[in-house]
Amino acid sequence: MDVIEEGRSRVILKENGVLNATACDYPGSYTFDDTWSHEKFKKIFSVQIVKWNEREMEFDLIGIHAAIANAFRRLLLSEVPSMAIEKVFVYNNTSLLQDEVLAHRLGLIPLKADPRLFEYRQPGDEDGTEQDTLEFQLKVKCTWNTNAPKDSTNPDDIYKDHKIYTRHMKWLPIGSQGDIYKAKDVGPVHDDILISKMRPGHELDLKLHVVKGIGKDHAKFSPVATAFYRLLPEIILTRDVEDEQAERLQKCFSPGVIGIEESKHGKKKAKVLDARYDTCSRNVFRYEDLKDAVKMGRIKNHFICK
Amino acid sequence: MGEYGNENMVRDWQSDPKKLGNPIKPIEEKWKLVSAFLTVKGLVKQHIDSFNYFVNVEIRKIVKANEKVCSDADPLFYVKYLNVSVGTPDVEEAYNISKSTTPHECRLRDLTYSAPITVDIEYTRGNQRVARNNLLIGRMPIMLRSSNCVLAGKSQFELAKMNECPHDPGGYFIVKGQEKVILIQEQLSRNRMIVEEDRKGGIQCQVTSSTHEKKSRTNVIVKNGKYYLKHNTLQDDIPVAIIFKAMGVVCDQEIVQMIGTEDHIIQRFAPSLEECHKANIFTQNQALRYLGSKTKQKRFFSSAPKKSPVDEARDLLATMVLAHVPVENFNFKMKATYTALMVRRVIQAQGDTKVIDDRDYYGNKRLELAGSLLALMFEDLFKRFNWELKMIADKNIPKIKAAQFDIVKHMRQDQITNGLVHAISTGNWTIKRFKMERHGVTQVLSRLSYISALGMMTRVNSQFEKTRKVSGPRSLQPSQWGMLCPSDTPEGEACGLVKNLALMTHITTEVEEAPIIRLAFNIGVEDVNLLGGEEINSFQVYMVFLNGNILGVIRDYQRLVRIFRMMRRSGYINGFISIYAQHQHRCVYISSDGGRLCRPYIIVDKGKPLVKQQHIHELMQGVRNFQDFLNEGLIEYLDVNEENDSHIALNESYIDPQMTTHLEIEPFTLLGVCAGLVPYPHHNQSPRNTYQCAMGKQAMGAIGYNQRNRIDTLMYNIVYPQAPMVKSRTIELINFDKLPAGQNATVAVMSYSGYDIEDALILNKASIDRGYGRCLVYRNAKTTLKRYANQTYDRILGPLVDAETKKPTWKHDILDADGIAAPGEKAENRQVLVNKSMPTVTLNPINPLQAQPEYRDVPQVYKGPVPSYVEKVMVSSNAEDAFLIKLLLRQTRRPEIGDKFSSRHGQKGVTGLIVEQEDMPFNDQGICPDMIMNPHGFPSRMTVGKLIELLAGKAGLLEGKFHYGTAFGGSKVADVCEELVRHGFNYQGKDFFYSGITGEPLQAYIYSGPVYYQKLKHMVQDKMHARPRGPRAVLTRQPTEGRSREGGLRLGEMERDCLIGYGASMMLVERLMISSDAFNVDVCNQCGLLAYSGWCHSCRSSGSVSTITIPYACKLLFQELQSMNIVPRLTLKNYCD
């Protein structure tokens, strides 16, 4: 790869810093014609989904500029709407948690409700309508367990309802909501999130209003736990690394990145298997004798998004 | 710090075969001994021990010493105290009904946590002899967790029942609901000779004598080559030779023999003898007469028959001069020897300046604790109590009454009660008989955080004046090693004067002297009374001192010291008795007095520490405790003096078989409680640790398990406190991990925007949204409902209802039906919390015709720009039987720009910017820092400990364990790096980050990981202030001052100077007059005085009156001057011409 091409497409990880970190592949910066064209873009651009389940998604975004990839990341974090508890009406709270703290904890509970089916609540609207609000009730009272074994000191045995989980939240449909949604579609994502702990005599009686919002307003509205990407690592061995050095080299990278194969002379020789899952820890630079054998880079337009 | 020394030592041994012994294996987990020490002793054991000693032993001694009260009126009358005891704390609910109380009840109800002092007495009533038992003479405030406290020896569960936190150290008092600490007072040890240089460069020997009755200071000084004795009861300095003669040592030869017969000493002393001869004093009687003529006249004429000057002088010599040296039957031998020794020391110091004592040396210091201070106070009060009884008896016995005179009826208990309560609550210690007056002895226990409370309990206050600019008492003394924390001292004026105890320091209480004297004589000490001057000063003997008094002399001093130490180790004598030989003085000093600092050490015998690995195993198994180590003579306490006479190895590798006598238990114990929080303090620049010690006390966090039951005036808590990722042994020992004050923030060390200069921090908004740095601020509101002399009383009314809407008015919106704000309500500025009203007439009896007394509203109003929530309401009664209503108000605050944070390395900073999560940098793992710190904070501060904390914290996260940053130990950087590598991280702790704004990689690798951050109590919300216009002071009509009064911002003198320099005269007029206190006055141009509404009263004309604008303060000045007969006259000139 020539120097210009390398500068355009790779970040080089040196011992004490990163080379070519900023983009320089703007059209017209070089002698050759590199204007953006739809054709070229179509050819190199691709999205490959690596992993996709209910909680997590990993996909590769290849062939676009960092600014675009970053824009997606930023949008996911802060501008994609989701539903969260916003208003808590405290009718009774004799538990140890202060009203504000309890409300804050409730707000952070992830909910399943699909934000696309709801409107934003109008400013100044206190009560909410069935188009923009879901209502839950949390009404629990901790009591002594009368059937508890006599000598037990385990809180689980001697008290009833002393741990408040998300499963204690009860959905109260407003208007025709009961016909449109099913309870399991709008409830909390997990039903075992601990909200509070109580002791006999403590009581909670709350009404919770769930509204639609965006992450910019409060992190609880962010639909993702986090969204980030990393550049695809690229490891090039610039010389043969053999025997003990090879083993040492292998240890410097994540498992599965460097493989060792028998060379013709019966020597063990290191080779790069798959750099994708390397953590880029740069621990090779600890060894003076291995420093020169490796060139670490990352491909600038290959984003591994999670 | 020790590593290099280590190697040298090892090399030393190898090169020198004689020194080569078997290598000593380090004892593992030796720190468990510290933990064992603390479980036995507790962190504030000094306070509790001293109070226990006072309440159980010393109070008896005091009463015993003042046991008899007689009357001048009746020689047969007497009152004799047979016994005294202090009970357990209770409160008097009604007359003669009392119930046992708990500390927490006292805190809530503003009561004093005190117990009755009862005495058994025997006295005469008429001709009968009567005995009375359990007579109450007063109440003693009880120290928490002392032997008389209800908390003593209780389990966690029992403590919880009493609303008490198991981690609360105790050692303080609760007086009128306030927690008060009697600070440890440091002072020069009493009854010891100190040779020092006075201001003029002369040498003097000073002794401050102190006994239960007397306190006096005696000096031997040099003037013109002659020696004099100086004492505050004597008018002039008395030549020492005359003193000797007055003490019965008449012969000059005897005097010289006592002082010393070395040539240079005789030479120096000769002029003093000559002076005595010149004064024509040869006999004891002559000397006493001379002394008698020099005594100060007593100011008060005592009723006792006047004594002759000779008798008076003899009395004075016996009781006042060197009061601590006993004189029995006017046998002055001991005192003369003592005086001679003082002279001898001065002469020696004149020849050799090295002999001068160091005042700041910690062996010469004694610490006074709550027990001894209270003992002083109690003795004074008890004496006054008895004196008053005597006065009553004197007055009443001659009177003939129907009932027989019964002294018991005249015993008032409130004098002692109030005296003690008043002393503790104000901190003014006034002891009349010593003419002692001290202020600020007690302080309110700071409950800002657990650490601040703990730190206060270990604080040592020096008696030294703060204003004097001398470095000596402030600087770190080498003898403070291990006793006082080298880091924990405030900055500024009290720097070095206020100190803190180290972790393992113990302060001794007094030990009975008699058995020690017997033992010393048995070992072969020869009584000084039986010896002449020549024998005492012989070259072959060492003088033996016990607590500053001469005991005698001994030939084989080494044997004495050895036997004493042996006896101590085997438990025959008290473990806190110290003995050491001072070769320069040729003396052996034995101390058994209270207030000495001491500290446990492992005993080393023939190069082997006596504590073996097996002992530690037994300790961990629980079959052995710290006392066992002491009992078996494996560990002993050394005080500062003895410590300096021992060879103590820092660790096993330093042990030298020939020399070493002791082994340090753990080096980290040389730091105190506050410095113990700092991870890797040995890698930090020393002032940084000192800063952290000050800041740890301002950190918010949990203050105790009972924090939710407390109603304090101000309490800061954080919502989600965390135990630090990098702990230290001290943290575990003091339970900081159970009551933490801070949170582990993921920190990226990089620059970000411009809002991070000057130590400002960048916070992640998402982190704040999720609860980082969120804190609760509790305040209370308090009212009492009193009953007045005229049988009227305060009352509370329900909320005022608006006539139209039938709803409560806005001001009373949050009130419940009972007129007190309801829990859970939001109180806004100027809303009423308690709707109290008070009768207008409280003194005079009210008109009986008037059915209802008139009332005036005195509501308790909430003030504050930010609303609070009512958390709870308490209604109770206080000691005066008035209703007491306390409301607890709460605010929840999330961090905002300007809030102060600090790491544990003295690196404080304010929030400069709060950034959205998407703008924050992120790394390959998707980790986005909670906080960004600018790297410029490091080079000049040199807080390497913080860097290591970050690294160790990061490795700890990955490994799922806590790392240790214990001082002089802790996890090694190399091991930590290895752990990082194992988890696929860079060994330097630097990660590859992407900019959250552009999405591109950052050019540098970012050092990132968790650092424990404390949120400090300084928050913008409590400080921000601005005012467009607002209230003005009544007198001057200028804007008020200060945020609490909504005051203006002052344009001060220096700012004024700037404006003058700039020539902005109109601006000046505007700032200083128009925007402040502009006032229109009429001025008569004829007489120059102020006129009123266009009419000059002095000229009786309106001819030349004109109106001008001047500052109101200026007008006020003119009027005030006029009132002092100074007439300021104004001359007006038209500035146009």
Side-chain angles (χ1 to χ4, degrees), chain B residues 47-252:
Chain B
H47 286 270
I48 294 170
D49 273 353
S50 109
F51 186 78
N52 284 349
Y53 179 77
F54 164 57
V55 159
N56 300 320
V57 182
E58 203 167 2
I59 197 168
R60 295 228 162 84
K61 283 191 191 163
I62 291 169
V63 172
K64 186 91 185 155
N66 307 286
E67 63 178 350
K68 212 158 181 188
V69 182
C70 295
S71 169
D72 297 339
D74 182 2
L76 290 177
F77 173 83
Y78 75 93
V79 179
K80 191 175 174 194
Y81 297 96
L82 301 173
N83 194 14
V84 62
S85 67
V86 180
T88 51
D90 55 13
V91 282
E92 223 165 86
E93 287 301 353
Y95 185 70
N96 268 349
I97 304 168
S98 57
K99 75 177 212 337
S100 154
T101 185
T102 61
H104 199 69
E105 185 187 357
C106 293
R107 278 191 274 254
L108 288 180
R109 289 181 54 194
D110 291 354
L111 303 175
T112 302
Y113 187 63
S114 60
I117 311 168
T118 52
V119 287
D120 298 345
I121 59 166
E122 187 186 276
Y123 67 104
T124 57
R125 186 168 61 200
N127 295 324
Q128 285 168 288
R129 200 164 66 187
V130 190
R132 284 285 292 271
N133 287 348
N134 290 331
L135 208 64
L136 188 68
I137 58 164
R139 298 178 65 82
M140 170 72 61
I142 293 294
M143 179 181 279
L144 271 81
R145 309 239 169 175
S146 66
S147 61
N148 288 49
C149 175
V150 293
L151 307 177
K154 290 285 195 295
S155 67
Q156 283 220 357
F157 181 75
E158 286 168 306
L159 289 173
K161 272 251 149 102
M162 288 190 269
N163 275 328
E164 204 57 40
C165 174
H167 299 309
D168 185 72
Y172 53 91
F173 299 88
I174 298 174
V175 174
K176 296 178 190 163
Q178 261 192 328
E179 296 168 314
K180 287 278 185 176
V181 188
I182 300 184
L183 293 182
I184 306 172
Q185 306 286 322
E186 175 200 295
Q187 44 185 232
L188 222 53
S189 57
R190 290 164 304 189
N191 305 346
R192 305 290 145 100
M193 285 179 213
I194 288 210
V195 181
E196 56 180 359
E197 225 168 321
D198 61 16
R199 257 164 274 138
K200 291 167 204 141
I203 307 272
Q204 59 167 350
C205 179
Q206 191 180 66
V207 177
T208 315
S209 316
S210 168
T211 61
H212 272 293
E213 287 81 38
K214 297 254 154 45
K215 219 174 182 181
S216 73
R217 185 175 295 163
T218 315
N219 290 301
V220 168
I221 56 166
V222 193
K223 246 185 345 192
N224 305 324
K226 283 168 283 191
Y227 300 94
Y228 295 88
L229 186 120
K230 191 171 158 172
H231 192 268
N232 41 9
T233 52
L234 295 170
Q235 270 177 334
D236 295 317
D237 303 340
I238 312 288
V240 269
I242 296 178
I243 296 285
F244 281 119
K245 295 208 166 164
M247 286 181 182
V249 188
V250 190
C251 174
D252 284 355

Side-chain angles (χ1 to χ4, degrees), chain A residues 14 18 23 70 73-74 78 96 98 100 104-105 216 219 228-229 231 279 281-283 286 298, chain B residues 708 720 765 769 778 890 892 918-919 924 978 984-987 990 992 994 996-997 999-1000 1003 1005:
Chain A
K14 292 283 187 196
V18 184
N70 191 37
R73 184 190 70 87
R74 292 169 61 92
S78 72
L96 265 180
Q98 297 86 348
E100 300 95 290
H104 172 240
R105 286 182 73 83
K216 205 195 275 181
F228 68 99
Y229 56 75
L231 296 176
T279 53
S281 61
R282 311 176 309 282
N283 286 325
R286 294 174 80 185
R298 308 192 91 168
Chain B
R708 297 293 303 276
Y720 299 110
K765 180 168 164 285
D769 285 346
Y778 287 100
R890 150 173 49 90
T892 310
E918 66 263 27
D919 289 333
D924 275 354
E978 217 43 62
F985 277 81
N986 179 252
Y987 72 105
K990 293 180 178 182
F992 188 88
Y994 301 85
I997 301 169
E1000 287 167 344
Q1003 286 194 348
Y1005 303 119

Side-chain angles (χ1 to χ4, degrees), chain B residues 32 613-625 629:
Chain B
K32 294 267 189 206
Q613 195 63 53
Q614 158 220 347
H615 294 128
I616 305 287
H617 281 311
E618 282 170 18
L619 181 73
M620 286 198 281
Q621 284 160 5
V623 289
R624 186 180 268 279
N625 64 24
F629 281 92

Side-chain angles (χ1 to χ4, degrees), chain B residues 10 16 30-31 63 104 138 324 375 463 486 506 518 544 575 582 604 611 636 684 724-725 883 956 992 1047 1074 1095 1132:
Chain B
V10 173
D16 187 351
K30 212 165 41 162
W31 66 274
V63 172
H104 199 69
H324 71 286
Q463 290 292 284
H506 183 84
R518 203 147 16 112
V544 181
Q582 226 278 22
V604 174
V611 175
E636 68 178 340
N684 281 343
M725 274 313 293
F883 273 111
F992 188 88
I1074 297 167
W1095 174 259
L1132 301 182

Side-chain angles (χ1 to χ4, degrees), chain B residues 933-1005:
Chain B
M933 186 208 153
N934 194 296
H936 286 106
F938 284 114
S940 58
R941 318 285 162 72
M942 292 181 273
T943 50
V944 180
K946 187 170 178 178
L947 299 174
I948 306 178
E949 183 196 346
L950 186 145
L951 214 61
K954 194 171 179 179
L957 285 184
L958 298 166
E959 202 86 331
K961 68 170 192 191
F962 291 105
H963 270 291
Y964 284 89
T966 314
F968 316 115
S971 312
K972 297 249 164 22
V973 174
D975 303 345
V976 167
C977 290
E978 217 43 62
E979 255 170 50
L980 283 177
V981 171
R982 205 158 2 149
H983 290 275
F985 277 81
N986 179 252
Y987 72 105
Q988 291 172 309
K990 293 180 178 182
D991 292 328
F992 188 88
F993 267 78
Y994 301 85
S995 160
I997 301 169
T998 65
E1000 287 167 344
L1002 296 179
Q1003 286 194 348
Y1005 303 119

Side-chain angles (χ1 to χ4, degrees), chain A residues 44-287:
Chain A
I44 58 164
F45 179 72
S46 77
V47 178
Q48 290 160 7
I49 292 169
V50 181
K51 195 160 82 183
W52 188 5
N53 60 32
E54 216 177 315
R55 305 265 168 269
E56 223 176 327
M57 181 178 181
E58 184 179 330
F59 60 94
D60 284 17
L61 209 56
I62 306 161
I64 61 168
H65 203 268
I68 311 290
N70 191 37
F72 286 132
R73 184 190 70 87
R74 292 169 61 92
L75 288 173
L76 278 172
L77 280 172
S78 72
E79 284 187 87
V80 175
S82 78
M83 304 283 284
I85 295 168
E86 171 75 3
K87 284 250 150 45
V88 178
F89 298 87
V90 183
Y91 294 97
N92 196 4
N93 171 18
T94 51
S95 80
L96 265 180
L97 279 188
Q98 297 86 348
D99 296 351
E100 300 95 290
V101 178
L102 183 68
H104 172 240
R105 286 182 73 83
L106 289 167
L108 292 173
I109 296 170
L111 300 172
K112 276 187 216 153
D114 188 344
R116 282 171 291 191
L117 305 173
F118 292 90
E119 307 278 326
Y120 289 106
R121 190 187 265 197
Q122 293 307 309
D125 183 5
E126 289 295 315
D127 308 318
T129 63
E130 63 180 278
Q131 276 81 38
D132 57 27
T133 307
L134 282 168
E135 196 174 67
F136 287 87
Q137 191 189 39
L138 187 61
K139 193 171 181 177
V140 201
K141 189 173 184 178
C142 178
T143 51
W144 291 97
N145 185 1
T146 44
N147 325 324
K150 266 259 159 110
D151 50 349
S152 173
T153 52
N154 183 1
D156 289 334
D157 290 341
I158 52 179
Y159 313 125
K160 271 186 192 164
D161 289 329
H162 77 290
K163 285 178 176 168
I164 312 298
Y165 290 105
T166 35
R167 71 173 84 100
H168 289 104
M169 284 166 56
K170 208 179 119 207
W171 177 45
L172 305 176
I174 312 175
S176 60
Q177 280 179 346
D179 309 329
I180 308 168
Y181 314 112
K182 282 197 216 72
K184 70 171 175 53
D185 292 333
V186 291
V189 173
H190 303 275
D191 61 1
D192 58 347
I193 299 175
L194 185 63
I195 297 169
S196 175
K197 286 189 182 178
M198 303 204 294
R199 284 292 176 265
H202 290 177
E203 189 179 349
L204 279 184
D205 184 1
L206 315 171
K207 274 227 172 73
L208 319 169
H209 277 188
V210 173
V211 300
K212 183 174 167 180
I214 56 170
K216 205 195 275 181
D217 180 38
H218 193 282
K220 69 184 174 186
F221 290 117
S222 185
V224 289
T226 188
F228 68 99
Y229 56 75
R230 61 195 176 97
L231 296 176
L232 180 73
E234 185 189 53
I235 297 165
I236 299 160
L237 296 181
T238 49
R239 66 169 167 86
D240 285 353
V241 181
E242 290 172 335
D243 290 344
E244 185 270 337
Q245 283 198 339
E247 274 165 23
R248 200 137 41 85
L249 187 77
Q250 192 180 28
K251 278 190 191 135
C252 289
F253 293 91
S254 302
V257 174
I258 303 286
I260 291 177
E261 62 178 13
E262 290 277 319
S263 70
K264 285 162 218 157
H265 325 288
K267 281 189 172 175
K268 288 177 190 161
K269 193 181 151 199
K271 69 160 198 184
V272 179
L273 294 179
D274 180 14
R276 184 182 167 92
Y277 289 107
D278 185 43
T279 53
C280 291
S281 61
R282 311 176 309 282
N283 286 325
V284 236
F285 295 123
R286 294 174 80 185
Y287 304 108

